[in-house]
Amino acid sequence: MKPFDRLSTDPARAALIVILAFTALRVVFASLLGFGVDESYTLGQARFLALSYFDHPPLHIWLAHGAMKLFGTSWAVRLPFVLLFALTSWLMFRLTERLFGGWAAAWAVFALNVSVFFLASPGTWVVPDGPLLFCLSAGMLALARLFFPKDGEAPSAWGAWVVAGLCFGLAGLSKYSAVFVIFGLAIFMLATPHRRHLLHPAPWLGALIAAVLVSPVIVWNMSHDWASLKFQAGRGGGNGLTFPAFAQMVVGQFVWLAPWVAVPLAYAGVAAFGQIKDPRRLFLIALALPSIGYFTLQSLWSGWALPHWPMPGWFFVFPLLGLWLVENPDAKPSSETWAKWCAGLAVGLSLGLGIIGATGALTRFGVPVRADPTLDALNWTELRPLLIARGAGQPSGPVVAGLTWNEGGKVDLAIGDIAPVIVLGPDPRGFGFRQDQRSFAGRQVIIVALAGTYARQQAALASQFDVLGEPEKATVGRLGRPELDLVIVRAGGLKSATPRALALR
């Protein structure tokens, strides 16, 4: 089927070629682009193994910890996440193939991999979405074999639910939002004759297995006054009706998915409602709708939301897009033309952003630094020799401090393997939980911050030290070109060892 017949007449082989090609693209992209603020922060947290963590459950951080043992803090720590998404893409093929056939599955894999979000975030970066999607797709594939057996198959309910329980437990160890997809599964079962499975003990065994696997998250939260769950729940707080935030949320999802993928994806999802009596379509709609619906609508009353939050729901719409492309071969523009443009844009955007991130090319052509979309992926590597020269890393040497969690992550990535890094500002996130802050009382501290951040917090910092030195100017950039202005401040006698925001505990 065009355009895959140029790759292979076998849809599985064509899908594998697509997966291998995009895996190679991701490796190149990963090697070019520096670590974003979330990745820098995550790698810093990954230096300390714990049952769970403040921002998210632990699975991606445990995976990052293992990768750092092999690769240090080089770009190669992304490789396990790149390879994991290659496996996720194959699970997408198998799930869609079972539901709608091989060519629909090949299309679903292609569309998934050319989508900007899935190409970059879960497909390349050190974030929880990669393990989450792998675990969810593996669990749903196990149940799809039970719910939709092929002729001659006699799947075991015990085997399906044990595998699903393992996968859903690991999904819960990846990200809290896994619960929305599981909730969709429950809706599907209750709304269809598959509710009969609930009379069998196997689903309850699977639920027990999932609960045991998620227990580290519960134990950590219990011992930290439910800090992580309170933090995540608080992000959905009410601020009245905020239609601008809702509009930003909707547009943001389409931008993240890439408009040339988002439009047909949304169309295929809506079109599936016209045949909702088909249990295969209903299965996917039920898995997708809770995540997409809740997080999109939540922006109406919370005043804000991040467009990547509903993406686990959109993940389960891709099989419906694959089916629509197979069922509508005469659609305009043709599927072949659409595929060429999608592939070209995916390659161009990833390589273009990678090159800009590696070289800072935009600023060399007069674009303001703050307009560079890759600025957050600038590694602050120049800090390391500057801080070592000021005693960081020496026995009983100074503590290094940032003033925000995201700046602290950048500092931690640069120096955290040889000196303790803390955050003294009003929002330390996980920095406030990974070490006993009281042990730093009275210590000498080197504060590192963006110049603007330090100016805003300088007055408050004066009360936290016996002596607060004068700021020294420093810069970080790419290829020897300064791009960000920092300050380095020596401070003595840390009095407020616990950041103010630790009242959250």
Side-chain angles (χ1 to χ4, degrees), residues 212-264:
V212 170
L213 287 174
V214 174
S215 62
V217 180
I218 305 302
V219 171
W220 187 93
N221 271 279
M222 289 177 64
S223 61
H224 292 84
D225 193 27
W226 305 99
S228 182
L229 292 175
K230 287 180 180 177
F231 168 69
Q232 293 294 350
R235 302 174 94 179
N239 289 307
L241 290 178
T242 52
F243 291 102
F246 174 74
Q248 291 174 10
M249 182 63 168
V250 172
V251 172
Q253 290 177 68
F254 273 66
V255 171
W256 258 117
L257 288 166
W260 46 92
V261 175
V263 171

Coordinates of all heavy atoms in Angstrom, one line a residue, residues 212-264:
V212 N 0.9 -3.6 44.3 CA 2.2 -3.9 44.9 C 3.4 -3.1 44.2 O 4.3 -2.5 44.9 CB 2.5 -5.4 44.9 CG1 3.9 -5.7 45.3 CG2 1.5 -6.1 45.8
L213 N 3.3 -3.1 42.9 CA 4.4 -2.4 42.2 C 4.3 -0.9 42.4 O 5.4 -0.2 42.4 CB 4.2 -2.6 40.7 CG 4.6 -4.0 40.2 CD1 4.3 -4.2 38.7 CD2 6.1 -4.3 40.4
V214 N 3.2 -0.3 42.6 CA 3.1 1.1 42.9 C 3.4 1.5 44.3 O 3.6 2.7 44.7 CB 1.7 1.6 42.5 CG1 1.4 3.1 42.8 CG2 1.4 1.5 41.0
S215 N 3.5 0.5 45.2 CA 3.6 0.8 46.6 C 4.8 1.7 47.0 O 4.7 2.4 48.0 CB 3.7 -0.6 47.4 OG 4.8 -1.3 47.0
P216 N 6.0 1.6 46.3 CA 7.0 2.6 46.7 C 6.6 4.0 46.6 O 7.0 4.8 47.5 CB 8.1 2.3 45.6 CG 7.9 0.9 45.2 CD 6.4 0.7 45.2
V217 N 5.7 4.4 45.7 CA 5.2 5.7 45.6 C 4.3 6.1 46.8 O 4.4 7.2 47.4 CB 4.4 5.9 44.3 CG1 3.9 7.3 44.2 CG2 5.3 5.6 43.1
I218 N 3.5 5.1 47.2 CA 2.7 5.3 48.4 C 3.5 5.5 49.6 O 3.3 6.3 50.5 CB 1.6 4.2 48.5 CG1 0.8 4.0 47.2 CG2 0.7 4.4 49.7 CD1 0.1 5.3 46.8
V219 N 4.5 4.6 49.8 CA 5.3 4.6 51.0 C 6.1 5.9 51.1 O 6.1 6.5 52.1 CB 6.3 3.4 51.0 CG1 7.3 3.5 52.1 CG2 5.5 2.1 51.1
W220 N 6.6 6.4 50.0 CA 7.4 7.6 50.0 C 6.5 8.8 50.3 O 6.8 9.6 51.2 CB 8.0 7.9 48.6 CG 8.9 9.1 48.6 CD1 10.3 9.1 48.8 CD2 8.5 10.5 48.4 NE1 10.7 10.4 48.7 CE2 9.7 11.2 48.4 CE3 7.3 11.1 48.1 CZ2 9.7 12.6 48.3 CZ3 7.3 12.5 48.0 CH2 8.5 13.2 48.0
N221 N 5.3 8.8 49.8 CA 4.3 9.9 50.1 C 3.9 9.9 51.5 O 3.8 10.9 52.2 CB 3.1 9.8 49.1 CG 3.3 10.6 47.8 OD1 3.2 11.8 47.8 ND2 3.7 9.9 46.8
M222 N 3.7 8.7 52.0 CA 3.3 8.6 53.4 C 4.3 9.1 54.4 O 4.0 9.8 55.4 CB 3.0 7.1 53.8 CG 1.7 6.6 53.2 SD 1.4 4.8 53.6 CE 1.2 4.9 55.4
S223 N 5.6 8.9 54.0 CA 6.7 9.3 54.9 C 7.1 10.8 54.6 O 7.9 11.3 55.4 CB 7.9 8.5 54.7 OG 8.4 8.5 53.3
H224 N 6.5 11.4 53.6 CA 6.7 12.9 53.3 C 5.5 13.7 53.3 O 5.3 14.6 52.5 CB 7.5 13.0 52.0 CG 8.9 12.4 52.0 ND1 9.1 11.1 51.8 CD2 10.1 13.0 52.2 CE1 10.5 10.9 51.9 NE2 11.0 12.0 52.1
D225 N 4.5 13.3 54.2 CA 3.3 14.1 54.3 C 2.5 14.2 53.0 O 2.0 15.3 52.7 CB 3.6 15.4 54.9 CG 2.3 16.1 55.4 OD1 1.3 15.4 55.7 OD2 2.3 17.4 55.4
W226 N 2.6 13.2 52.1 CA 1.9 13.2 50.8 C 2.3 14.4 50.0 O 1.5 14.9 49.2 CB 0.4 13.2 51.1 CG -0.1 12.1 51.9 CD1 -0.4 12.1 53.3 CD2 -0.2 10.7 51.6 NE1 -0.7 10.9 53.7 CE2 -0.6 10.0 52.7 CE3 0.0 10.0 50.4 CZ2 -0.8 8.6 52.7 CZ3 -0.3 8.6 50.3 CH2 -0.7 7.9 51.5
A227 N 3.6 14.8 50.1 CA 4.0 16.0 49.4 C 3.8 15.9 47.9 O 3.4 16.9 47.3 CB 5.5 16.3 49.7
S228 N 4.2 14.8 47.3 CA 4.1 14.7 45.8 C 2.7 14.8 45.3 O 2.3 15.5 44.4 CB 4.8 13.4 45.4 OG 4.7 13.3 43.9
L229 N 1.8 14.0 46.0 CA 0.4 14.0 45.6 C -0.3 15.4 45.8 O -1.1 15.8 45.0 CB -0.4 12.9 46.3 CG 0.0 11.5 46.0 CD1 -0.7 10.5 46.8 CD2 -0.3 11.2 44.5
K230 N 0.1 16.0 46.9 CA -0.4 17.4 47.2 C 0.0 18.4 46.1 O -0.8 19.2 45.7 CB 0.0 17.9 48.6 CG -0.7 17.2 49.7 CD -0.1 17.8 51.0 CE -0.8 17.1 52.3 NZ -0.2 17.6 53.5
F231 N 1.3 18.2 45.7 CA 1.8 19.1 44.7 C 1.1 19.0 43.4 O 0.6 19.9 42.8 CB 3.3 18.9 44.5 CG 3.9 19.5 43.3 CD1 4.1 20.9 43.3 CD2 4.3 18.7 42.2 CE1 4.6 21.5 42.1 CE2 4.9 19.3 41.1 CZ 5.0 20.7 41.1
Q232 N 0.9 17.7 43.0 CA 0.2 17.5 41.7 C -1.2 17.8 41.7 O -1.8 18.4 40.8 CB 0.4 16.0 41.3 CG 1.8 15.6 40.9 CD 2.4 16.3 39.7 OE1 1.7 17.0 39.0 NE2 3.7 16.1 39.5
A233 N -1.9 17.5 42.8 CA -3.3 17.9 43.0 C -3.5 19.4 43.0 O -4.4 19.9 42.4 CB -3.9 17.3 44.2
G234 N -2.5 20.1 43.6 CA -2.6 21.6 43.7 C -2.5 22.2 42.3 O -2.9 23.4 42.2
R235 N -1.9 21.6 41.4 CA -1.7 22.2 40.1 C -3.1 22.3 39.3 O -3.2 23.0 38.3 CB -0.8 21.4 39.2 CG 0.6 21.3 39.9 CD 1.5 20.4 39.1 NE 2.4 21.1 38.2 CZ 3.3 20.6 37.4 NH1 3.5 19.3 37.4 NH2 4.0 21.3 36.6
G236 N -4.1 21.6 39.8 CA -5.4 21.7 39.1 C -6.4 22.6 39.9 O -7.6 22.5 39.7
G237 N -5.9 23.4 40.8 CA -6.7 24.2 41.6 C -7.6 25.2 40.9 O -7.3 25.6 39.7
G238 N -8.7 25.7 41.5 CA -9.6 26.5 40.8 C -9.3 28.0 40.8 O -8.9 28.5 41.9
N239 N -9.4 28.7 39.7 CA -9.3 30.1 39.6 C -10.5 30.8 38.9 O -10.3 31.9 38.3 CB -8.0 30.5 38.9 CG -6.7 30.2 39.7 OD1 -6.6 30.6 40.9 ND2 -5.8 29.4 39.1
G240 N -11.6 30.1 38.9 CA -12.7 30.6 38.1 C -12.6 30.2 36.7 O -11.6 29.6 36.3
L241 N -13.5 30.6 35.8 CA -13.5 30.3 34.4 C -12.4 31.2 33.7 O -12.4 32.4 33.8 CB -14.8 30.6 33.8 CG -16.0 29.6 34.2 CD1 -17.3 29.9 33.5 CD2 -15.5 28.1 33.8
T242 N -11.5 30.5 33.0 CA -10.4 31.2 32.4 C -10.3 30.7 30.9 O -9.6 29.8 30.6 CB -9.1 30.9 33.1 OG1 -8.9 29.5 33.2 CG2 -9.0 31.5 34.5
F243 N -11.1 31.3 30.1 CA -11.2 30.9 28.7 C -9.9 31.1 27.9 O -9.6 30.3 27.0 CB -12.4 31.6 28.0 CG -13.7 31.2 28.5 CD1 -14.4 31.9 29.3 CD2 -14.2 29.9 28.1 CE1 -15.7 31.5 29.8 CE2 -15.5 29.5 28.5 CZ -16.2 30.3 29.4
P244 N -9.1 32.1 28.2 CA -7.8 32.2 27.5 C -6.9 31.0 27.8 O -6.2 30.6 26.8 CB -7.2 33.5 28.0 CG -8.4 34.4 28.4 CD -9.4 33.4 29.0
A245 N -6.9 30.5 29.0 CA -6.1 29.4 29.3 C -6.6 28.2 28.6 O -5.8 27.3 28.1 CB -6.1 29.1 30.8
F246 N -7.9 28.0 28.5 CA -8.5 26.9 27.7 C -8.1 27.0 26.2 O -7.7 26.0 25.6 CB -10.0 27.0 27.8 CG -10.7 26.0 27.0 CD1 -10.7 24.6 27.3 CD2 -11.4 26.4 25.8 CE1 -11.4 23.7 26.6 CE2 -12.1 25.4 25.1 CZ -12.1 24.1 25.4
A247 N -8.1 28.2 25.6 CA -7.7 28.4 24.2 C -6.2 28.0 24.1 O -5.8 27.3 23.1 CB -8.0 29.8 23.8
Q248 N -5.4 28.4 25.0 CA -4.0 28.1 24.9 C -3.7 26.6 25.0 O -2.9 26.1 24.4 CB -3.2 28.9 26.0 CG -3.2 30.4 25.8 CD -2.5 31.1 27.0 OE1 -2.0 30.5 27.9 NE2 -2.7 32.4 27.0
M249 N -4.5 26.0 25.9 CA -4.4 24.5 26.0 C -4.7 23.8 24.8 O -4.0 22.9 24.3 CB -5.3 24.1 27.2 CG -5.2 22.6 27.5 SD -3.5 22.1 28.0 CE -3.8 20.5 28.6
V250 N -5.8 24.2 24.1 CA -6.2 23.5 22.9 C -5.2 23.8 21.8 O -4.7 22.8 21.1 CB -7.6 24.0 22.4 CG1 -8.0 23.5 21.0 CG2 -8.7 23.6 23.4
V251 N -4.8 25.0 21.6 CA -3.8 25.4 20.6 C -2.5 24.7 20.9 O -1.8 24.2 20.0 CB -3.6 26.9 20.4 CG1 -2.5 27.2 19.5 CG2 -4.9 27.5 19.9
G252 N -2.1 24.7 22.2 CA -0.9 24.1 22.5 C -0.8 22.6 22.2 O 0.3 22.1 21.8
Q253 N -1.9 21.9 22.3 CA -1.9 20.4 22.0 C -1.7 20.3 20.5 O -0.9 19.4 20.0 CB -3.2 19.8 22.4 CG -3.4 19.7 23.9 CD -4.7 19.1 24.2 OE1 -5.0 17.9 23.9 NE2 -5.6 19.9 24.9
F254 N -2.3 21.1 19.7 CA -2.2 21.0 18.2 C -0.7 21.4 17.8 O -0.2 20.7 16.9 CB -3.2 21.9 17.5 CG -4.5 21.2 17.3 CD1 -5.3 20.8 18.4 CD2 -4.9 20.9 16.0 CE1 -6.5 20.2 18.2 CE2 -6.1 20.2 15.8 CZ -6.9 19.9 16.9
V255 N -0.1 22.3 18.5 CA 1.3 22.7 18.2 C 2.2 21.5 18.6 O 3.1 21.2 17.8 CB 1.7 24.0 18.9 CG1 3.2 24.2 18.8 CG2 0.9 25.2 18.3
W256 N 2.0 21.0 19.7 CA 2.9 19.9 20.2 C 2.7 18.7 19.3 O 3.7 18.0 19.0 CB 2.5 19.5 21.6 CG 3.5 20.0 22.7 CD1 3.2 20.9 23.7 CD2 4.8 19.7 22.8 NE1 4.3 21.2 24.4 CE2 5.3 20.4 23.9 CE3 5.7 18.9 22.1 CZ2 6.6 20.4 24.4 CZ3 7.1 18.8 22.5 CH2 7.5 19.6 23.7
L257 N 1.5 18.4 18.9 CA 1.3 17.2 18.0 C 1.9 17.5 16.6 O 2.2 16.5 15.9 CB -0.1 16.8 17.9 CG -0.8 16.2 19.2 CD1 -2.3 16.2 19.1 CD2 -0.3 14.8 19.4
A258 N 2.0 18.7 16.2 CA 2.3 19.2 14.9 C 0.9 19.4 14.1 O 0.2 18.4 14.0 CB 3.2 18.4 14.1
P259 N 0.6 20.6 13.7 CA -0.7 20.8 13.1 C -1.0 19.8 11.9 O -2.2 19.4 11.8 CB -0.7 22.2 12.6 CG 0.3 22.9 13.5 CD 1.3 21.8 13.8
W260 N 0.0 19.5 11.1 CA -0.2 18.6 10.0 C -0.5 17.1 10.4 O -1.0 16.4 9.6 CB 1.0 18.6 9.0 CG 2.3 18.5 9.7 CD1 3.1 17.4 10.0 CD2 3.1 19.6 10.3 NE1 4.2 17.7 10.7 CE2 4.3 19.1 10.9 CE3 2.9 21.0 10.3 CZ2 5.3 19.9 11.5 CZ3 3.9 21.8 10.9 CH2 5.0 21.2 11.5
V261 N -0.2 16.8 11.7 CA -0.6 15.5 12.2 C -1.9 15.7 13.1 O -2.8 14.8 13.1 CB 0.5 14.9 13.1 CG1 0.1 13.6 13.7 CG2 1.7 14.7 12.2
A262 N -1.9 16.8 13.8 CA -3.0 17.0 14.8 C -4.4 17.1 14.1 O -5.4 16.5 14.6 CB -2.8 18.2 15.6
V263 N -4.5 17.7 13.0 CA -5.8 17.9 12.3 C -6.3 16.5 11.8 O -7.5 16.2 12.2 CB -5.7 18.9 11.1 CG1 -7.0 18.9 10.3 CG2 -5.4 20.3 11.7
P264 N -5.6 15.7 11.0 CA -6.2 14.4 10.7 C -6.3 13.5 11.9 O -7.3 12.7 11.9 CB -5.1 13.9 9.7 CG -3.9 14.6 9.9 CD -4.3 16.0 10.4

